[in-house]
């Protein structure tokens, strides 16, 4: 094939384009874009933890130009960049059709954490990952959306263990130059600086912009020389420090966030408070309105009309409460600004405003100043209405104004690379053969792939045979096991001279592999599985039908109970009959999550009902053909239909915690030994577990089109973001 070499100008254009691409997280959910960075430096890709910006720093400008002289590579770069530009410019979007008001005036989404990708570890868990997925889908749908959060320079902690298996935490410094973010500059090209009054100080902040497809997310950062050291460190860590740090971070997020948006010229149509952490933004909105001449009551009403609040947990400790003293010390400036007495200010965050013993609760502040509020699953809605009923004493509990929108996950972000390629090839083939539904959608990269028809067509045996799906599942399990071997070798557990050989034989690529990975909060009951220890050992060691377990997760640095659970699980893995059948991967993050939810056969979830407000990792599992085995709590209570996974117990729970734990442990063992293991090992003459694969197909058809953030953001938009219809 004759090809003309590229001109110097063309090469410069492509190199610039690649640099721009690396600084937009769009590449994290586009397989061909990701392939380009991986190909530029395969080893760097791995060592730099899939950081496209860092890979481009690793490759010299000269090397990049040389590589782009290869017309084949340059051609693929051009294709990806064209698609990227088309994505950014697309005007025929879902939002243009269904919410034209929100194409120009944005939704401002405030969240104390955002989980976008493993290279930017500024999330502690599910709440942040949900926020990141929300932003990605808002971009896909063409919604004007702007996110606000903090830049945690030391990120969320890294996990290690001392010889007693007690979790210890350490932190590494993030370097903005090596991250997919850009400084926000003022018109003179200097970093834009804003200020917020916290305690007795005027704290300065700057901001970084993360590009999430079409949507910017701004991260506030107080690490500026003009601040006292104490305030320079304010944004150092995700949920670091004590409640003083907490309240100061939240004042910065709420007040600083609104000020930053104003400095940048934003007039958002809606302020969406993702959890109560951001609720101080309502006080800043009231202040603005007072300054414009409104009375306090008018300003409060106008603020309510602009705000939407999502509550994320029925666990009491998950709701920030600040003492009167702490408020007096840190937040007294609100009193001057809003012309309130301290007691009046406290009253805004109290269920009973006049009760001097009640602390200031961010959830109460948020509920009082939002035109609508929602929980994140149906059951969580019911529990939340009960929980906040005292705030609405003159209504029956069913009429407490908290609705629900069940969470989702960003489909392409959570589809493992291998699975993306699997479908891409098959969809292309089906399109070439004129397959109706698939031909209309043509690829997985648009929001139409969100329909039940599309997933029914994908799950059709004509698109992918049982044998192909089983081979895919085998590849995914092997990739996970090889990843786990590498990780355990690096973790250096029981290192011996023959370590490499030993680690090459760790875990069994043919065995039913059960995964459990999440924050080690007590209510998630990580050890429930091992309640019937001897029976679990017998199941694991069954030579004909072996089972193995992979665990991961972090406990909050101050959660002693969570750390005890971790210690227990690691002890089982190292010193009991489960050794070799149970392993623990350290440093759970989005990358580990992606490996586990795709490579495991079964995703185990054992929360104490009804404390798992929604849960999202099981949705990620479903996308990749890993079946859920879960308590009927949160999303699974809505998703499970008897054919698409496995349920532990039924849609009820006893009042007594002891009774609940006992019953759930019994049911778990029973379902595992009577349903899950037989179904997995029931192979036909060709060696294929037909019934198992049938369940995978059912999960694709029934779960994936519902439990994704395209559906979720569409629901937020039509039910909450659009201005209420005039009555
Ligand atoms: C998805 C995800 C979570 C949330 O999972 P749950 O099922 O809600 O516990 C937490 N941490 C990481 C890294 C995730 O990717």
């Amino acid at each position: 094939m004759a090809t003309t070499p590229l001109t110097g100008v063309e090469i410069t254009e492509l190199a610039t384009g690649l640099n721009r691409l690396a600084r937009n997280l769009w590449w994290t959910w586009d397989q061909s874009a990701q392939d380009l960075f991986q190909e530029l430096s395969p080893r760097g890709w791995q060592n730099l933890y899939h950081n496209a910006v860092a890979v481009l720093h690793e490759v010299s400008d000269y090397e990049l130009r040389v590589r782009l002289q290869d017309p084949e590579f340059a051609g693929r770069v051009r294709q990806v960049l064209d698609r990227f530009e088309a994505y950014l410019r697309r005007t025929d979007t879902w939002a243009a059709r269904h919410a034209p008001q929100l194409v120009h005036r944005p939704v401002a989404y405030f969240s104390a954490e955002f989980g976008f990708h493993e290279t930017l570890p500024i999330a502690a868990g599910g709440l942040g990952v949900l926020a990141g997925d929300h932003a990605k889908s808002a971009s896909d749908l063409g919604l004007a959306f702007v996110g606000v959060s903090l830049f945690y320079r030391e990120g969320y902690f890294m996990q290690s263990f001392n010889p007693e298996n007690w979790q210890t935490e350490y932190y590494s410094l993030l370097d903005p130059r090596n991250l997919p973010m850009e400084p926000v500059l003022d018109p003179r090209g200097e970093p834009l600086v804003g200020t917020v009054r916290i305690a007795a100080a005027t704290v300065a902040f700057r901001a970084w912009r993360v590009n999430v497809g079409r949507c910017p997310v701004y991260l506030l950062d107080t690490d500026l020389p003009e601040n006292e050291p104490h305030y320079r460190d304010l944004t150092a860590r995700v949920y670091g420090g004590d409640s003083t740090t907490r309240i100061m971070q939240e004042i910065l997020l709420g007040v600083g966030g609104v000020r930053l948006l104003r400095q940048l010229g934003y007039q958002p149509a809606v302020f969406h408070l993702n959890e109560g952490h951001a609720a101080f933004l309502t006080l800043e909105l009231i202040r603005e309105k007072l300054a414009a001449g409104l009375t306090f009551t008018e300003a409060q009403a106008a603020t309510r009309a602009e705000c939407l609040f999502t509550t994320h947990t029925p666990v009491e400790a998950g709701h920030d409460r600040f003492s009167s003293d702490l408020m007096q010390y840190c937040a007294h400036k609100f009193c001057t600004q809003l012309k309130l007495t301290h007691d009046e200010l406290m009253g805004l965050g109290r269920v009973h405003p006049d009760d001097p013993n009640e602390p200031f609760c961010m959830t109460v502040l948020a509920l009082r100043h939002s035109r609508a509020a929602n929980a994140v699953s149906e059951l969580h809605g019911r529990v939340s209405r009960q929980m906040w009923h005292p705030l609405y004493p003159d209504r029956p509990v069913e009429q407490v104004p908290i609705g629900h929108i069940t969470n989702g996950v960003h489909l392409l972000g959570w589809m493992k690379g291998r699975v993306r390629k699997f479908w891409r090839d098959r969809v292309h083939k089906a399109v070439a053969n004129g397959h109706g539904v698939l031909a209309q959608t043509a690829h997985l990269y648009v929001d139409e792939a969100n329909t039940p028809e599309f997933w029914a067509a994908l799950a059709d045996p004509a698109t992918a045979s049982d044998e192909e799906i089983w081979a895919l599942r085998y590849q995914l399990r092997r990739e996970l096991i090889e990843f786990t071997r590498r990780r355990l070798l690096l973790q250096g557990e029981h290192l011996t001279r023959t370590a490499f050989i030993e680690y090459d034989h760790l875990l069994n690529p043919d065995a039913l592999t059960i995964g459990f990975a999440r924050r080690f909060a007590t209510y998630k009951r990580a050890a429930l599985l091992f309640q019937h220890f001897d029976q679990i050992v017998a199941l694991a060691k069954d030579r004909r039908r072996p089972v193995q377990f992979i665990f991961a997760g972090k406990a909050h640095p101050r959660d002693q109970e969570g750390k005890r659970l971790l210690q227990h699980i690691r002890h089982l893995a190292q010193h009991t009959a489960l050794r070799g059948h149970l392993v623990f991967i350290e440093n759970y993050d989005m990358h580990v999550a992606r490996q586990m939810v795709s490579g495991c056969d079964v995703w185990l979830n054992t929360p104490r009902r009804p404390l798992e407000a929604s849960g999202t990792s099981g949705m990620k599992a479903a996308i990749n053909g890993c079946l859920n085995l879960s308590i009927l709590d949160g999303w699974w209570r809505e998703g499970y239909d008897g054919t698409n996974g496995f349920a532990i117990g039924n849609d009820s729970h006893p009042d007594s915690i002891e009774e609940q734990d006992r019953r759930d442990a019994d049911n778990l063992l029973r379902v595992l030994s009577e349903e899950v293991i037989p179904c997995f090992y029931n192979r036909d003459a060709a060696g294929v577990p037909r019934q198992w694969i049938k369940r995978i197909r059912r999960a694709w058809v029934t779960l994936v089109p519902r439990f994704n953030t395209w559906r979720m953001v569409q629901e937020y938009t039509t039910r909450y973001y659009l201005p209420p219809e005039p009555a």
Side-chain angles (χ1 to χ4, degrees):
M1 192 167 66
T3 40
T4 25
L6 274 68
T7 64
V9 173
E10 286 169 325
I11 287 179
T12 305
E13 208 182 290
L14 292 183
T16 311
L18 271 176
N19 273 290
R20 188 160 123 85
L21 182 64
R23 283 169 182 78
N24 189 313
L25 292 166
W26 177 80
W27 70 258
T28 63
W29 68 95
D30 184 279
Q31 192 55 42
S32 318
Q34 186 171 315
D35 290 346
L36 295 176
F37 295 114
Q38 187 164 6
E39 201 175 319
L40 274 173
S41 170
R43 191 84 188 127
W45 177 255
Q46 217 179 60
N47 291 348
L48 298 165
Y49 217 43
H50 328 115
N51 181 337
V53 175
V55 162
L56 285 182
H57 286 161
E58 152 76 18
V59 174
S60 69
D61 290 346
Y62 179 72
E63 176 179 349
L64 187 59
R65 296 187 75 88
V66 172
R67 299 285 294 271
L68 287 168
Q69 282 168 1
D70 167 5
E72 191 276 330
F73 184 64
R76 276 187 297 127
V77 172
R78 164 86 58 210
Q79 263 180 13
V80 168
L81 292 178
D82 286 350
R83 226 149 27 75
F84 176 48
E85 287 303 324
Y87 176 89
L88 295 181
R89 295 225 184 94
R90 188 173 164 205
T91 52
D92 168 32
T93 60
W94 179 88
R97 276 172 276 135
H98 298 275
Q101 302 94 314
L102 297 174
V103 171
H104 301 294
R105 278 191 78 187
V107 173
Y109 183 95
F110 281 59
S111 180
E113 41 173 316
F114 272 96
F116 298 116
H117 186 255
E118 55 267 26
T119 44
L120 193 54
I122 55 169
L127 179 71
V129 174
L130 181 84
D133 285 1
H134 194 121
K136 291 170 188 175
S137 285
S139 167
D140 290 341
L141 294 170
L143 205 64
F145 174 100
V146 50
V148 178
S149 190
L150 305 182
F151 175 54
Y152 303 105
R153 195 170 287 268
E154 298 180 18
Y156 196 50
F157 73 88
M158 308 269 286
Q159 180 184 50
S160 66
F161 290 88
N162 73 14
E164 282 76 49
N165 277 323
W166 195 252
Q167 173 184 287
T168 52
E169 299 87 29
Y170 64 101
Y171 294 83
S172 57
L173 208 59
L174 298 174
D175 178 358
R177 281 168 312 171
N178 258 335
L179 291 171
M181 49 197 248
E182 301 159 358
V184 176
L185 304 177
D186 66 15
R188 293 165 304 150
E190 299 293 322
L192 187 80
V193 174
T195 60
V196 175
R197 289 298 300 265
I198 300 175
T202 298
V203 179
F205 63 85
R206 61 178 301 189
W208 303 89
R209 177 187 160 115
V210 179
N211 299 304
V212 185
R214 302 156 63 113
C215 303
V217 174
Y218 295 100
L219 306 179
L220 276 53
D221 180 1
T222 56
D223 186 17
L224 289 172
E226 52 263 51
N227 288 330
E228 295 165 38
H230 173 64
Y231 289 112
R232 288 189 73 156
D233 287 343
L234 183 56
T235 48
R237 297 174 179 183
V238 189
Y239 306 140
D242 52 12
S243 48
T244 309
T245 311
R246 196 61 171 281
I247 189 175
M248 289 180 172
Q249 284 188 339
E250 294 184 2
I251 294 172
L252 176 68
L253 174 65
V255 178
V258 172
R259 293 197 181 160
L260 175 78
L261 292 182
R262 299 305 189 206
Q263 276 178 290
L264 295 171
Y266 284 102
Q267 295 301 331
V270 190
F271 290 84
H272 186 167
L273 287 65
N274 188 44
E275 194 50 294
H277 309 128
F280 284 131
L281 79 82
T282 60
L283 300 185
E284 173 65 7
L285 293 180
I286 292 175
R287 187 195 63 79
E288 288 182 335
K289 291 171 176 58
L290 291 179
L294 270 60
T295 65
F296 190 83
T297 314
E298 289 166 349
Q300 230 181 348
T303 296
R304 273 180 63 91
E306 292 180 307
C307 292
L308 163 68
F309 169 57
T310 303
T311 178
H312 282 272
T313 180
V315 178
E316 278 295 335
H319 298 264
D320 282 325
R321 287 186 170 82
F322 301 121
S323 71
S324 176
D325 286 349
L326 193 58
M327 285 290 289
Q328 180 90 51
Y329 171 58
C330 295
H332 62 86
K333 198 69 194 167
F334 287 127
C335 294
T336 342
Q337 290 172 342
L338 307 180
K339 302 189 179 60
L340 297 175
T341 64
H342 176 68
D343 287 337
E344 285 168 336
L345 176 66
M346 288 299 291
L348 297 178
R350 283 175 176 154
V351 175
H352 306 289
D354 299 328
D355 179 354
N357 297 318
E358 219 186 292
F360 186 96
C361 175
M362 295 297 276
T363 307
V364 173
L365 179 68
L367 285 169
R368 281 236 167 81
H369 295 98
S370 299
R371 72 175 182 221
N374 72 288
V376 292
S377 72
E378 192 201 348
L379 182 59
H380 179 224
R382 208 192 303 157
V383 173
S384 300
R385 285 189 290 277
Q386 194 76 52
M387 190 168 176
W388 298 106
H389 190 200
L391 203 51
Y392 309 89
D394 45 356
R395 304 186 191 203
V397 67
E398 315 78 65
Q399 282 173 31
V400 168
I402 302 178
H404 82 271
I405 289 182
T406 306
N407 282 344
V409 293
H410 185 253
L411 183 60
L412 290 168
W414 288 105
M415 189 182 280
K416 187 134 190 275
R418 169 147 327 273
V419 183
R420 291 179 190 167
K421 287 174 187 164
F422 180 86
W423 290 125
R424 193 174 60 185
D425 295 349
R426 278 160 189 81
V427 170
H428 283 164
K429 208 173 72 191
V431 170
N433 295 337
H435 192 303
V437 178
L438 294 180
Q440 281 160 30
T441 306
H443 46 63
L444 288 168
Y445 292 77
V446 291
D447 43 76
E448 285 86 358
N450 183 17
T451 62
E453 297 75 29
F454 180 83
W455 280 89
L458 275 196
D460 190 314
T463 310
S465 69
D466 285 358
E467 285 77 2
E468 286 173 297
I469 292 172
W470 191 227
L472 171 70
R473 292 296 320 155
Y474 248 82
Q475 274 181 305
L476 292 167
R477 191 184 319 112
R478 172 163 291 281
E479 282 175 3
L480 169 64
I481 287 175
E482 293 183 354
F483 167 80
T484 307
R485 288 172 180 165
R486 248 190 342 269
R487 274 298 183 99
L488 266 78
L489 181 63
L490 291 173
Q491 286 170 211
E493 275 170 40
H494 351 281
L495 219 51
T496 64
R497 270 189 302 140
T498 53
F500 279 92
I501 299 167
E502 267 174 43
Y503 280 93
D504 275 344
H505 291 90
L506 202 71
L507 298 176
N508 175 356
D510 291 309
L512 171 63
T513 304
I514 299 182
F516 180 103
R518 37 185 50 86
R519 283 184 303 117
F520 267 60
T522 326
Y523 77 85
K524 294 186 186 247
R525 296 189 298 187
L528 191 77
L529 175 68
F530 306 110
Q531 205 100 325
H532 295 295
F533 186 72
D534 296 337
Q535 288 92 326
I536 291 295
V537 170
L539 291 179
K541 295 198 155 177
D542 184 328
R543 272 177 210 281
R544 278 186 317 119
R545 308 189 309 180
V547 183
Q548 60 197 1
F549 306 97
I550 304 182
F551 274 58
K554 294 175 174 177
H556 186 278
R558 284 192 307 277
D559 179 4
Q560 304 300 310
E561 275 305 309
K563 289 188 180 185
R564 245 189 294 282
L565 269 175
L566 280 169
Q567 187 177 40
H568 177 56
I569 300 288
R570 288 175 58 89
H571 171 80
L572 296 180
Q574 292 166 4
H575 303 298
T576 71
L578 281 178
R579 196 185 146 121
H581 304 273
L582 165 65
V583 297
F584 183 88
I585 301 178
E586 291 171 11
N587 273 312
Y588 183 52
D589 66 1
M590 290 179 74
H591 179 55
V592 176
R594 206 176 295 107
Q595 304 294 322
M596 288 185 67
V597 296
S598 56
C600 290
D601 299 291
V602 170
W603 195 246
L604 179 66
N605 184 32
T606 52
R608 193 174 282 142
R609 232 178 86 120
L611 298 183
E612 186 71 287
S614 167
T616 52
S617 58
M619 305 172 187
K620 306 167 191 169
I623 294 170
N624 293 287
C626 164
L627 293 176
N628 280 276
L629 165 60
S630 168
I631 301 281
L632 290 173
D633 197 8
W635 81 282
W636 188 235
R637 190 181 153 267
E638 293 159 43
Y640 177 65
D641 73 353
T643 69
N644 54 6
F646 304 93
I648 306 166
N650 56 27
D651 188 14
S652 71
H653 60 269
D655 288 334
S656 141
I657 285 181
E658 292 73 26
E659 172 64 11
Q660 190 181 350
D661 289 359
R662 199 186 53 74
R663 246 199 242 178
D664 289 344
D666 292 350
N667 281 326
L668 170 54
L669 181 66
R670 195 183 50 70
V671 177
L672 195 56
S673 48
E674 293 175 15
E675 297 180 40
V676 179
I677 297 174
C679 185
F680 183 82
Y681 283 109
N682 179 10
R683 312 280 161 87
D684 71 357
V688 179
R690 304 282 167 192
Q691 292 307 314
W692 190 266
I693 290 167
K694 198 164 158 192
R695 277 181 200 251
I696 294 177
R697 291 188 196 277
R698 288 288 303 160
W700 284 336
V701 177
T702 60
L703 302 176
V704 180
R706 278 174 70 200
F707 298 100
N708 65 65
T709 39
W710 284 331
R711 184 273 309 155
M712 184 188 84
V713 175
Q714 287 173 357
E715 240 184 284
Y716 273 106
T717 304
T718 48
R719 287 179 48 199
Y720 291 129
Y721 291 161
L722 285 171
E725 301 273 342

